[in-house]
Amino acid sequence: MRFLFFGFEKMGLRNHIQESLSVFLSNQSFEQNILYTAAAFVVYTLLEQKLSKPELDAEIETEKLYALVDGLAMHRMMHPERLPAKRIESIIDQHLQGLCSP
């Protein structure tokens, strides 16, 4: 989960989102995909807090964030020497910043 919050650290939202996500996930059934649920929560939190670009399509952006994090995690497991954790954080940070209004 650390990677999902990296992009919000600079915006001062990291702690708020971590606490809210904990409450949110405690109310969800574990049959749901936790990674998808976390991605949706991040995207919808951006919308709710009015931090996202106005034209943001929440469903598409949730899928994109989910695919990005899932893919990076897979690459990290398969080739840890090729993709250091700092690089993964940078990629996710850039993606999240791209969802936000300037």
Coordinates of all heavy atoms in Angstrom, one line a residue:
M1 N 0.8 -1.2 0.0 CA 0.0 0.0 0.0 C 0.9 1.3 0.0 O 0.4 2.3 -0.4 CB -0.9 0.0 1.2 CG -1.9 -1.1 1.3 SD -2.9 -1.3 -0.1 CE -3.9 0.1 0.0
R2 N 2.1 1.2 0.4 CA 3.0 2.3 0.5 C 3.0 3.1 -0.8 O 3.0 4.3 -0.8 CB 4.4 1.9 1.0 CG 5.3 3.0 1.2 CD 6.6 2.5 1.8 NE 7.6 3.1 1.0 CZ 8.7 2.4 0.6 NH1 8.8 1.1 0.8 NH2 9.6 3.0 -0.1
F3 N 3.1 2.4 -1.9 CA 3.3 3.0 -3.2 C 2.0 3.9 -3.5 O 2.2 4.9 -4.1 CB 3.5 2.0 -4.3 CG 4.8 1.2 -4.1 CD1 4.7 -0.2 -4.2 CD2 6.0 1.8 -3.8 CE1 5.9 -0.9 -4.0 CE2 7.1 1.1 -3.6 CZ 7.1 -0.3 -3.7
L4 N 0.9 3.4 -3.2 CA -0.3 4.1 -3.6 C -0.4 5.5 -2.9 O -1.0 6.4 -3.4 CB -1.6 3.4 -3.2 CG -1.9 2.2 -4.0 CD1 -3.1 1.4 -3.5 CD2 -2.2 2.6 -5.5
F5 N 0.3 5.7 -1.8 CA 0.2 6.9 -1.1 C 1.3 7.9 -1.3 O 1.3 9.0 -0.9 CB 0.1 6.6 0.4 CG -1.1 5.8 0.8 CD1 -0.9 4.5 1.3 CD2 -2.4 6.2 0.6 CE1 -1.9 3.7 1.6 CE2 -3.4 5.4 0.8 CZ -3.2 4.1 1.3
F6 N 2.3 7.4 -2.0 CA 3.5 8.2 -2.3 C 3.2 9.5 -2.9 O 3.7 10.6 -2.6 CB 4.5 7.4 -3.1 CG 5.8 8.1 -3.3 CD1 6.7 8.2 -2.2 CD2 6.1 8.7 -4.5 CE1 7.9 8.9 -2.4 CE2 7.3 9.4 -4.6 CZ 8.2 9.5 -3.6
G7 N 2.3 9.4 -4.0 CA 2.0 10.6 -4.7 C 1.2 11.7 -3.9 O 1.2 12.9 -4.2
F8 N 0.6 11.3 -2.8 CA -0.2 12.2 -2.0 C 0.6 12.8 -0.9 O 0.2 13.8 -0.2 CB -1.4 11.5 -1.4 CG -2.4 11.0 -2.4 CD1 -2.6 9.7 -2.6 CD2 -3.1 12.0 -3.1 CE1 -3.5 9.3 -3.6 CE2 -4.0 11.6 -4.0 CZ -4.2 10.2 -4.3
E9 N 1.8 12.3 -0.7 CA 2.7 12.9 0.4 C 3.0 14.3 0.2 O 2.8 15.1 1.2 CB 4.0 12.1 0.5 CG 4.8 12.3 1.7 CD 5.8 11.3 1.9 OE1 6.1 10.5 1.0 OE2 6.3 11.2 3.0
K10 N 3.3 14.7 -1.0 CA 3.6 16.1 -1.3 C 2.4 17.0 -1.1 O 2.5 18.2 -0.9 CB 4.2 16.3 -2.7 CG 5.5 15.6 -2.8 CD 6.0 15.7 -4.2 CE 7.3 14.9 -4.4 NZ 7.7 14.8 -5.8
M11 N 1.2 16.5 -1.3 CA 0.0 17.3 -1.2 C -0.6 17.3 0.2 O -1.6 17.9 0.5 CB -1.1 16.7 -2.1 CG -0.8 16.8 -3.6 SD -2.1 16.2 -4.6 CE -1.8 14.4 -4.6
G12 N 0.1 16.7 1.2 CA -0.4 16.7 2.5 C -1.6 15.8 2.8 O -2.3 16.0 3.8
L13 N -1.9 14.9 1.9 CA -3.1 14.0 2.1 C -2.8 12.6 2.5 O -3.7 11.8 2.7 CB -3.8 14.0 0.7 CG -4.5 15.3 0.3 CD1 -5.1 15.1 -1.0 CD2 -5.6 15.6 1.3
R14 N -1.5 12.3 2.6 CA -1.1 10.9 2.8 C -1.8 10.3 4.0 O -2.4 9.2 4.0 CB 0.4 10.8 2.9 CG 0.9 9.3 3.0 CD 2.4 9.3 3.0 NE 2.8 7.9 3.1 CZ 4.0 7.5 3.0 NH1 5.0 8.4 2.8 NH2 4.3 6.3 3.1
N15 N -1.7 10.9 5.2 CA -2.3 10.4 6.4 C -3.8 10.3 6.3 O -4.4 9.3 6.8 CB -1.8 11.2 7.6 CG -0.4 11.1 7.9 OD1 0.3 10.1 7.6 ND2 0.2 12.1 8.6
H16 N -4.4 11.3 5.8 CA -5.9 11.3 5.6 C -6.3 10.1 4.8 O -7.2 9.4 5.2 CB -6.4 12.6 5.0 CG -7.8 12.6 4.6 ND1 -8.8 12.6 5.5 CD2 -8.3 12.5 3.4 CE1 -10.0 12.5 4.8 NE2 -9.7 12.4 3.5
I17 N -5.7 9.9 3.7 CA -6.0 8.8 2.8 C -5.8 7.5 3.4 O -6.6 6.5 3.3 CB -5.4 9.0 1.4 CG1 -6.0 10.2 0.7 CG2 -5.5 7.7 0.6 CD1 -5.3 10.6 -0.6
Q18 N -4.6 7.3 4.1 CA -4.3 6.1 4.8 C -5.4 5.7 5.8 O -5.9 4.6 5.9 CB -2.9 6.1 5.4 CG -1.8 5.9 4.4 CD -0.5 6.0 5.1 OE1 -0.2 6.9 6.0 NE2 0.4 5.2 4.7
E19 N -5.8 6.7 6.6 CA -6.8 6.5 7.7 C -8.1 6.2 7.0 O -8.8 5.2 7.5 CB -6.9 7.7 8.6 CG -5.7 7.9 9.4 CD -5.7 9.3 10.1 OE1 -6.7 10.0 10.1 OE2 -4.6 9.7 10.6
S20 N -8.5 6.9 6.0 CA -9.8 6.7 5.4 C -9.8 5.3 4.7 O -10.8 4.6 4.7 CB -10.1 7.8 4.3 OG -10.2 9.0 5.0
L21 N -8.7 5.0 4.1 CA -8.7 3.7 3.4 C -8.8 2.5 4.4 O -9.5 1.5 4.1 CB -7.4 3.5 2.6 CG -7.2 2.3 1.8 CD1 -8.4 2.1 0.8 CD2 -5.9 2.2 1.0
S22 N -8.2 2.7 5.5 CA -8.3 1.6 6.6 C -9.8 1.4 7.0 O -10.3 0.3 7.1 CB -7.5 2.0 7.8 OG -6.1 2.0 7.5
V23 N -10.5 2.5 7.2 CA -11.9 2.4 7.5 C -12.7 1.9 6.4 O -13.5 1.0 6.5 CB -12.5 3.8 7.9 CG1 -14.0 3.8 8.1 CG2 -11.8 4.3 9.2
F24 N -12.4 2.3 5.2 CA -13.1 1.9 4.0 C -13.0 0.4 3.8 O -13.9 -0.4 3.6 CB -12.6 2.6 2.8 CG -13.2 2.2 1.5 CD1 -14.5 2.6 1.1 CD2 -12.5 1.4 0.6 CE1 -15.0 2.2 -0.1 CE2 -13.0 1.0 -0.6 CZ -14.3 1.4 -1.0
L25 N -11.7 -0.1 3.8 CA -11.5 -1.5 3.6 C -12.0 -2.4 4.7 O -12.4 -3.5 4.4 CB -10.0 -1.7 3.4 CG -9.4 -1.1 2.2 CD1 -7.9 -1.4 2.1 CD2 -10.0 -1.7 0.9
S26 N -12.1 -1.9 5.9 CA -12.7 -2.7 7.0 C -14.2 -3.0 6.8 O -14.7 -3.9 7.3 CB -12.5 -2.0 8.3 OG -13.3 -0.9 8.4
N27 N -14.8 -2.2 5.9 CA -16.2 -2.4 5.6 C -16.5 -3.1 4.3 O -17.6 -3.3 3.9 CB -16.9 -1.0 5.5 CG -16.9 -0.3 6.9 OD1 -17.1 -0.9 7.9 ND2 -16.8 1.0 6.8
Q28 N -15.4 -3.6 3.6 CA -15.6 -4.3 2.4 C -15.4 -5.8 2.6 O -14.7 -6.2 3.5 CB -14.5 -3.8 1.4 CG -14.6 -2.3 1.1 CD -15.9 -2.0 0.4 OE1 -16.2 -2.6 -0.6 NE2 -16.6 -1.0 0.9
S29 N -16.1 -6.6 1.7 CA -15.9 -8.0 1.8 C -14.5 -8.4 1.2 O -14.1 -7.7 0.2 CB -17.0 -8.7 1.0 OG -16.9 -8.5 -0.4
F30 N -13.9 -9.4 1.7 CA -12.6 -9.7 1.2 C -12.6 -10.5 -0.1 O -11.6 -10.8 -0.6 CB -11.8 -10.5 2.3 CG -11.3 -9.6 3.4 CD1 -12.0 -9.5 4.6 CD2 -10.2 -8.9 3.2 CE1 -11.5 -8.6 5.6 CE2 -9.7 -8.0 4.2 CZ -10.4 -7.9 5.3
E31 N -13.8 -10.8 -0.6 CA -13.9 -11.4 -1.9 C -13.5 -10.4 -3.0 O -13.1 -10.8 -4.1 CB -15.3 -12.0 -2.2 CG -15.7 -13.1 -1.3 CD -16.6 -12.7 -0.1 OE1 -17.4 -11.8 -0.2 OE2 -16.3 -13.2 0.9
Q32 N -13.7 -9.2 -2.7 CA -13.3 -8.2 -3.7 C -11.8 -8.1 -3.8 O -11.1 -8.3 -2.9 CB -13.9 -6.8 -3.3 CG -15.4 -6.7 -3.3 CD -15.9 -5.4 -2.9 OE1 -15.1 -4.6 -2.4 NE2 -17.2 -5.2 -3.1
N33 N -11.4 -7.7 -5.0 CA -9.9 -7.5 -5.2 C -9.4 -6.3 -4.4 O -9.8 -5.2 -4.7 CB -9.7 -7.4 -6.7 CG -8.2 -7.3 -7.0 OD1 -7.5 -6.6 -6.4 ND2 -7.8 -8.1 -8.0
I34 N -8.6 -6.5 -3.5 CA -8.1 -5.5 -2.6 C -7.4 -4.4 -3.4 O -7.5 -3.2 -3.1 CB -7.3 -6.0 -1.4 CG1 -7.0 -5.0 -0.4 CG2 -6.0 -6.6 -1.9 CD1 -8.0 -4.9 0.7
L35 N -6.6 -4.8 -4.4 CA -5.8 -3.8 -5.1 C -6.7 -2.9 -6.0 O -6.6 -1.7 -6.0 CB -4.8 -4.5 -6.0 CG -3.8 -3.6 -6.8 CD1 -3.1 -2.7 -5.8 CD2 -2.9 -4.5 -7.6
Y36 N -7.7 -3.5 -6.6 CA -8.7 -2.7 -7.4 C -9.5 -1.8 -6.4 O -9.7 -0.6 -6.8 CB -9.7 -3.6 -8.1 CG -10.6 -2.9 -9.0 CD1 -10.3 -2.4 -10.2 CD2 -11.9 -2.5 -8.4 CE1 -11.2 -1.7 -11.0 CE2 -12.8 -1.7 -9.2 CZ -12.4 -1.3 -10.5 OH -13.3 -0.6 -11.2
T37 N -9.9 -2.3 -5.3 CA -10.6 -1.5 -4.3 C -9.8 -0.3 -3.9 O -10.3 0.8 -3.8 CB -11.1 -2.3 -3.1 OG1 -11.9 -3.4 -3.6 CG2 -11.9 -1.5 -2.1
A38 N -8.5 -0.5 -3.6 CA -7.6 0.6 -3.2 C -7.4 1.6 -4.3 O -7.5 2.8 -4.1 CB -6.3 0.0 -2.8
A39 N -7.3 1.1 -5.6 CA -7.2 2.0 -6.7 C -8.4 2.9 -6.8 O -8.3 4.1 -7.0 CB -6.9 1.3 -8.0
A40 N -9.6 2.2 -6.7 CA -10.8 3.0 -6.8 C -10.9 4.0 -5.7 O -11.4 5.2 -5.9 CB -12.0 2.0 -6.8
F41 N -10.5 3.6 -4.5 CA -10.6 4.6 -3.4 C -9.7 5.8 -3.6 O -10.1 6.9 -3.4 CB -10.2 3.9 -2.1 CG -10.2 4.8 -0.9 CD1 -11.4 5.1 -0.3 CD2 -9.1 5.4 -0.4 CE1 -11.5 6.0 0.8 CE2 -9.1 6.2 0.7 CZ -10.3 6.5 1.3
V42 N -8.5 5.6 -4.1 CA -7.6 6.7 -4.4 C -8.2 7.6 -5.5 O -8.3 8.8 -5.3 CB -6.2 6.2 -4.9 CG1 -5.4 7.3 -5.4 CG2 -5.5 5.5 -3.7
V43 N -8.7 7.1 -6.5 CA -9.3 7.9 -7.6 C -10.6 8.7 -7.1 O -10.7 9.9 -7.3 CB -9.7 7.0 -8.8 CG1 -10.5 7.8 -9.9 CG2 -8.4 6.5 -9.5
Y44 N -11.4 8.0 -6.4 CA -12.6 8.6 -5.9 C -12.3 9.6 -4.8 O -13.1 10.6 -4.7 CB -13.7 7.6 -5.5 CG -14.4 7.0 -6.7 CD1 -14.0 5.8 -7.2 CD2 -15.5 7.7 -7.3 CE1 -14.6 5.3 -8.4 CE2 -16.1 7.1 -8.4 CZ -15.7 5.9 -8.9 OH -16.3 5.4 -10.0
T45 N -11.3 9.4 -4.1 CA -10.9 10.4 -3.1 C -10.4 11.7 -3.8 O -10.7 12.8 -3.3 CB -9.8 9.9 -2.1 OG1 -10.3 8.7 -1.4 CG2 -9.3 10.9 -1.1
L46 N -9.6 11.5 -4.8 CA -9.2 12.7 -5.6 C -10.4 13.5 -6.1 O -10.5 14.7 -6.0 CB -8.4 12.3 -6.8 CG -6.9 11.9 -6.5 CD1 -6.3 11.4 -7.8 CD2 -6.1 13.0 -6.0
L47 N -11.4 12.8 -6.6 CA -12.6 13.5 -7.1 C -13.4 14.1 -5.9 O -13.8 15.3 -6.0 CB -13.6 12.4 -7.7 CG -13.2 12.0 -9.1 CD1 -13.9 10.7 -9.5 CD2 -13.4 13.1 -10.1
E48 N -13.6 13.4 -4.8 CA -14.3 13.9 -3.7 C -13.6 15.1 -3.1 O -14.3 16.1 -2.7 CB -14.4 12.8 -2.6 CG -15.2 13.2 -1.4 CD -15.2 12.1 -0.4 OE1 -15.9 11.1 -0.6 OE2 -14.4 12.2 0.6
Q49 N -12.3 15.1 -3.0 CA -11.6 16.3 -2.5 C -11.3 17.4 -3.5 O -10.7 18.4 -3.2 CB -10.2 15.8 -1.9 CG -10.3 14.8 -0.8 CD -11.0 15.4 0.4 OE1 -10.7 16.5 0.8 NE2 -11.9 14.6 1.1
K50 N -11.9 17.2 -4.7 CA -11.8 18.2 -5.8 C -10.3 18.5 -6.1 O -10.0 19.6 -6.4 CB -12.5 19.5 -5.4 CG -14.0 19.2 -5.1 CD -14.9 20.2 -5.6 CE -16.3 20.0 -5.2 NZ -17.0 18.8 -5.4
L51 N -9.5 17.4 -6.1 CA -8.1 17.6 -6.5 C -7.8 17.1 -7.9 O -6.8 17.4 -8.4 CB -7.2 16.8 -5.5 CG -7.3 17.2 -4.0 CD1 -6.6 16.2 -3.1 CD2 -6.6 18.6 -3.9
S52 N -8.8 16.4 -8.5 CA -8.5 15.8 -9.8 C -8.9 16.8 -10.9 O -9.6 17.8 -10.6 CB -9.4 14.5 -10.0 OG -10.8 14.9 -10.0
K53 N -8.4 16.5 -12.1 CA -8.8 17.3 -13.2 C -10.3 17.1 -13.4 O -10.9 16.0 -13.1 CB -8.1 16.8 -14.5 CG -6.6 17.0 -14.4 CD -5.9 16.4 -15.6 CE -4.4 16.7 -15.5 NZ -3.7 16.0 -16.6
P54 N -11.0 18.1 -13.8 CA -12.5 18.1 -13.9 C -13.0 17.0 -14.9 O -14.1 16.4 -14.7 CB -12.9 19.5 -14.3 CG -11.7 20.2 -14.6 CD -10.5 19.5 -14.1
E55 N -12.2 16.7 -15.9 CA -12.7 15.8 -16.9 C -12.3 14.3 -16.6 O -12.5 13.4 -17.4 CB -12.1 16.2 -18.3 CG -10.6 16.0 -18.4 CD -9.7 17.1 -17.9 OE1 -10.3 18.1 -17.3 OE2 -8.5 17.0 -18.1
L56 N -11.8 14.1 -15.4 CA -11.4 12.7 -15.0 C -12.5 11.7 -15.1 O -13.6 12.0 -14.6 CB -10.8 12.8 -13.6 CG -10.2 11.5 -13.1 CD1 -8.7 11.6 -13.1 CD2 -10.7 11.1 -11.7
D57 N -12.3 10.6 -15.8 CA -13.2 9.5 -15.9 C -12.8 8.5 -14.8 O -11.8 7.8 -15.0 CB -13.2 8.9 -17.3 CG -14.2 7.8 -17.5 OD1 -14.5 7.0 -16.5 OD2 -14.7 7.6 -18.6
A58 N -13.6 8.5 -13.7 CA -13.2 7.7 -12.6 C -13.1 6.2 -12.9 O -12.1 5.5 -12.4 CB -14.2 7.9 -11.4
E59 N -14.0 5.6 -13.7 CA -13.9 4.2 -14.0 C -12.6 3.9 -14.8 O -11.9 2.9 -14.5 CB -15.1 3.8 -14.7 CG -16.4 3.8 -13.8 CD -17.6 3.3 -14.5 OE1 -17.5 2.5 -15.5 OE2 -18.7 3.7 -14.1
I60 N -12.3 4.7 -15.8 CA -11.2 4.4 -16.6 C -9.9 4.6 -15.8 O -9.0 3.8 -15.9 CB -11.1 5.4 -17.8 CG1 -12.3 5.1 -18.8 CG2 -9.8 5.3 -18.6 CD1 -12.3 3.7 -19.4
E61 N -9.8 5.7 -15.0 CA -8.6 6.0 -14.2 C -8.4 4.9 -13.1 O -7.3 4.6 -12.8 CB -8.7 7.4 -13.6 CG -8.6 8.5 -14.6 CD -7.4 8.4 -15.6 OE1 -6.4 7.9 -15.2 OE2 -7.5 8.9 -16.7
T62 N -9.5 4.4 -12.6 CA -9.4 3.3 -11.6 C -8.7 2.1 -12.3 O -7.8 1.5 -11.8 CB -10.7 2.9 -11.0 OG1 -11.2 4.0 -10.3 CG2 -10.6 1.7 -10.1
E63 N -9.2 1.7 -13.5 CA -8.6 0.6 -14.2 C -7.1 0.9 -14.6 O -6.3 0.0 -14.4 CB -9.4 0.3 -15.5 CG -10.8 -0.2 -15.3 CD -10.8 -1.6 -14.7 OE1 -9.8 -2.3 -14.7 OE2 -11.9 -2.0 -14.3
K64 N -6.8 2.1 -15.0 CA -5.5 2.4 -15.3 C -4.5 2.3 -14.1 O -3.4 1.8 -14.2 CB -5.4 3.8 -16.0 CG -5.9 3.8 -17.4 CD -6.2 5.2 -17.9 CE -5.0 6.1 -17.9 NZ -5.3 7.4 -18.5
L65 N -5.0 2.9 -13.0 CA -4.1 2.8 -11.8 C -4.0 1.4 -11.3 O -2.9 1.0 -10.9 CB -4.8 3.7 -10.7 CG -4.0 3.7 -9.3 CD1 -2.6 4.2 -9.5 CD2 -4.7 4.6 -8.3
Y66 N -5.1 0.6 -11.3 CA -5.0 -0.8 -11.0 C -4.0 -1.5 -11.8 O -3.2 -2.3 -11.3 CB -6.4 -1.4 -11.1 CG -6.5 -2.9 -11.0 CD1 -6.2 -3.5 -9.8 CD2 -6.9 -3.7 -12.1 CE1 -6.3 -4.9 -9.7 CE2 -6.9 -5.0 -12.0 CZ -6.6 -5.6 -10.8 OH -6.7 -7.0 -10.7
A67 N -4.1 -1.4 -13.1 CA -3.2 -2.0 -14.1 C -1.8 -1.6 -13.9 O -0.8 -2.5 -13.9 CB -3.6 -1.8 -15.5
L68 N -1.5 -0.3 -13.6 CA -0.2 0.2 -13.4 C 0.4 -0.5 -12.2 O 1.6 -1.0 -12.2 CB -0.2 1.7 -13.3 CG 1.1 2.4 -12.9 CD1 2.1 2.2 -14.1 CD2 0.9 3.8 -12.6
V69 N -0.3 -0.4 -11.0 CA 0.3 -0.9 -9.8 C 0.5 -2.4 -9.9 O 1.5 -3.0 -9.5 CB -0.6 -0.5 -8.6 CG1 -0.1 -1.2 -7.3 CG2 -0.6 1.0 -8.4
D70 N -0.5 -3.1 -10.4 CA -0.4 -4.6 -10.6 C 0.8 -5.0 -11.5 O 1.5 -5.9 -11.1 CB -1.7 -5.1 -11.2 CG -1.8 -6.6 -11.3 OD1 -1.6 -7.2 -10.2 OD2 -2.0 -7.1 -12.4
G71 N 0.9 -4.3 -12.6 CA 2.0 -4.6 -13.5 C 3.4 -4.3 -12.9 O 4.3 -5.1 -13.0
L72 N 3.5 -3.1 -12.2 CA 4.7 -2.8 -11.5 C 5.1 -3.8 -10.4 O 6.3 -4.2 -10.3 CB 4.7 -1.4 -11.0 CG 4.7 -0.3 -12.0 CD1 4.4 1.1 -11.3 CD2 6.0 -0.2 -12.7
A73 N 4.1 -4.3 -9.7 CA 4.3 -5.3 -8.7 C 4.8 -6.6 -9.3 O 5.8 -7.2 -8.7 CB 3.1 -5.5 -7.8
M74 N 4.2 -6.9 -10.4 CA 4.6 -8.2 -11.1 C 6.1 -8.0 -11.6 O 6.9 -9.0 -11.4 CB 3.7 -8.5 -12.2 CG 4.0 -9.8 -13.0 SD 3.9 -11.2 -11.9 CE 2.2 -11.3 -11.7
H75 N 6.4 -6.9 -12.2 CA 7.7 -6.7 -12.7 C 8.8 -6.7 -11.5 O 9.9 -7.2 -11.7 CB 7.9 -5.4 -13.5 CG 7.2 -5.5 -14.8 ND1 7.7 -6.3 -15.8 CD2 6.2 -4.8 -15.3 CE1 7.0 -6.1 -16.9 NE2 6.0 -5.3 -16.6
R76 N 8.4 -6.1 -10.4 CA 9.3 -6.1 -9.3 C 9.5 -7.5 -8.7 O 10.7 -7.8 -8.3 CB 8.6 -5.2 -8.2 CG 9.4 -5.1 -6.9 CD 10.7 -4.2 -7.1 NE 11.3 -4.2 -5.7 CZ 12.6 -4.0 -5.6 NH1 13.4 -3.8 -6.6 NH2 13.1 -3.9 -4.4
M77 N 8.5 -8.3 -8.7 CA 8.7 -9.7 -8.2 C 9.6 -10.5 -9.2 O 10.4 -11.3 -8.8 CB 7.3 -10.4 -8.1 CG 6.6 -9.9 -6.8 SD 5.1 -10.9 -6.5 CE 4.6 -11.6 -8.0
M78 N 9.3 -10.3 -10.5 CA 10.0 -11.1 -11.5 C 11.5 -10.6 -11.7 O 12.3 -11.5 -12.0 CB 9.3 -11.1 -12.8 CG 7.8 -11.6 -12.7 SD 7.8 -13.3 -12.3 CE 8.2 -14.0 -13.9
H79 N 11.7 -9.3 -11.7 CA 13.0 -8.8 -12.0 C 13.3 -7.6 -11.0 O 13.4 -6.5 -11.4 CB 13.0 -8.2 -13.4 CG 12.6 -9.2 -14.4 ND1 13.5 -10.3 -14.8 CD2 11.5 -9.4 -15.1 CE1 12.9 -11.0 -15.7 NE2 11.7 -10.5 -15.9
P80 N 13.6 -7.9 -9.7 CA 13.8 -6.9 -8.7 C 15.0 -6.0 -9.0 O 15.0 -4.8 -8.7 CB 14.0 -7.6 -7.4 CG 14.2 -9.0 -7.8 CD 13.6 -9.3 -9.1
E81 N 16.0 -6.6 -9.7 CA 17.2 -5.8 -10.0 C 17.0 -4.8 -11.1 O 17.7 -3.8 -11.2 CB 18.4 -6.8 -10.4 CG 18.2 -7.5 -11.7 CD 17.2 -8.6 -11.8 OE1 16.7 -9.1 -10.8 OE2 16.8 -8.9 -13.0
R82 N 16.0 -5.0 -12.0 CA 15.7 -4.1 -13.1 C 14.9 -2.9 -12.7 O 14.9 -1.9 -13.2 CB 15.0 -4.9 -14.2 CG 14.8 -4.1 -15.4 CD 13.9 -4.8 -16.4 NE 13.1 -4.0 -17.3 CZ 12.4 -2.9 -17.0 NH1 12.3 -2.4 -15.8 NH2 11.6 -2.3 -17.9
L83 N 14.0 -3.1 -11.7 CA 13.1 -2.1 -11.3 C 13.1 -1.8 -9.8 O 12.4 -2.4 -9.0 CB 11.6 -2.5 -11.7 CG 10.6 -1.4 -11.7 CD1 11.0 -0.3 -12.7 CD2 9.3 -2.0 -12.2
P84 N 14.0 -1.0 -9.3 CA 14.1 -0.7 -7.9 C 12.9 0.0 -7.4 O 12.1 0.7 -8.1 CB 15.3 0.3 -7.8 CG 15.9 0.5 -9.2 CD 15.0 -0.2 -10.2
A85 N 12.7 -0.1 -6.1 CA 11.5 0.4 -5.4 C 11.4 1.9 -5.6 O 10.3 2.4 -5.8 CB 11.6 0.1 -3.9
K86 N 12.5 2.6 -5.6 CA 12.4 4.1 -5.8 C 11.9 4.4 -7.2 O 11.2 5.4 -7.4 CB 13.8 4.7 -5.6 CG 14.3 4.8 -4.2 CD 13.5 5.8 -3.4 CE 14.0 6.0 -2.0 NZ 13.1 6.7 -1.2
R87 N 12.3 3.6 -8.2 CA 11.8 3.9 -9.5 C 10.3 3.6 -9.6 O 9.5 4.4 -10.2 CB 12.5 3.0 -10.5 CG 12.1 3.1 -11.9 CD 12.7 4.4 -12.5 NE 12.4 4.4 -13.9 CZ 12.2 5.5 -14.6 NH1 12.2 6.6 -14.0 NH2 11.9 5.4 -15.9
I88 N 9.8 2.6 -8.9 CA 8.4 2.3 -8.9 C 7.6 3.5 -8.2 O 6.6 3.9 -8.7 CB 8.1 1.0 -8.1 CG1 8.6 -0.2 -9.0 CG2 6.6 0.8 -7.8 CD1 8.6 -1.5 -8.2
E89 N 8.1 4.0 -7.1 CA 7.5 5.1 -6.4 C 7.4 6.3 -7.4 O 6.4 7.0 -7.4 CB 8.3 5.4 -5.2 CG 8.2 4.4 -4.1 CD 9.0 4.7 -2.9 OE1 9.7 5.8 -2.9 OE2 9.0 3.9 -1.9
S90 N 8.5 6.5 -8.1 CA 8.5 7.7 -9.0 C 7.5 7.5 -10.1 O 6.8 8.5 -10.5 CB 9.9 7.8 -9.6 OG 10.0 8.8 -10.6
I91 N 7.3 6.3 -10.7 CA 6.4 6.1 -11.7 C 4.9 6.3 -11.2 O 4.1 7.0 -11.8 CB 6.5 4.7 -12.3 CG1 7.8 4.5 -13.0 CG2 5.3 4.3 -13.2 CD1 8.2 3.1 -13.3
I92 N 4.6 5.8 -10.0 CA 3.3 5.9 -9.5 C 3.1 7.4 -9.1 O 2.0 7.9 -9.3 CB 3.1 5.0 -8.3 CG1 3.1 3.5 -8.8 CG2 1.8 5.3 -7.6 CD1 3.1 2.5 -7.7
D93 N 4.1 8.0 -8.5 CA 3.9 9.5 -8.2 C 3.6 10.3 -9.4 O 2.7 11.1 -9.4 CB 5.2 9.9 -7.5 CG 5.2 11.4 -7.1 OD1 4.2 11.7 -6.4 OD2 6.0 12.2 -7.5
Q94 N 4.3 10.1 -10.5 CA 4.0 10.8 -11.7 C 2.6 10.5 -12.3 O 2.0 11.5 -12.7 CB 5.1 10.5 -12.8 CG 6.4 11.0 -12.5 CD 7.5 10.7 -13.6 OE1 7.1 10.3 -14.7 NE2 8.7 10.8 -13.2
H95 N 2.2 9.3 -12.2 CA 0.9 9.0 -12.6 C -0.2 9.7 -11.8 O -1.1 10.3 -12.3 CB 0.6 7.5 -12.6 CG -0.7 7.1 -13.0 ND1 -1.1 7.1 -14.3 CD2 -1.8 6.7 -12.3 CE1 -2.4 6.7 -14.4 NE2 -2.8 6.5 -13.2
L96 N 0.0 9.6 -10.5 CA -1.0 10.3 -9.6 C -1.0 11.8 -9.8 O -2.1 12.5 -9.8 CB -0.7 9.9 -8.1 CG -1.0 8.5 -7.8 CD1 -0.6 8.2 -6.3 CD2 -2.4 8.1 -8.0
Q97 N 0.2 12.4 -10.0 CA 0.2 13.8 -10.2 C -0.5 14.2 -11.5 O -1.1 15.2 -11.6 CB 1.7 14.3 -10.2 CG 2.4 14.2 -8.9 CD 1.9 15.1 -7.9 OE1 1.4 16.2 -8.2 NE2 2.0 14.7 -6.6
G98 N -0.4 13.3 -12.5 CA -1.1 13.5 -13.7 C -2.6 13.5 -13.6 O -3.3 14.1 -14.5
L99 N -3.1 12.9 -12.6 CA -4.6 12.9 -12.4 C -5.1 14.2 -11.7 O -6.3 14.5 -11.8 CB -5.0 11.7 -11.5 CG -4.7 10.3 -12.1 CD1 -5.1 9.3 -11.1 CD2 -5.3 10.1 -13.4
C100 N -4.2 14.9 -11.1 CA -4.5 16.1 -10.3 C -4.6 17.4 -11.1 O -3.8 17.5 -12.1 CB -3.6 16.2 -9.2 SG -3.6 14.9 -8.0
S101 N -5.4 18.3 -10.7 CA -5.4 19.6 -11.3 C -4.1 20.3 -10.9 O -3.5 20.1 -9.9 CB -6.5 20.4 -10.7 OG -7.8 19.9 -11.0
P102 N -3.6 21.2 -11.8 CA -2.4 21.9 -11.5 C -2.5 22.9 -10.4 O -3.5 23.2 -9.9 CB -2.1 22.7 -12.8 CG -3.2 22.5 -13.8 CD -4.2 21.5 -13.1

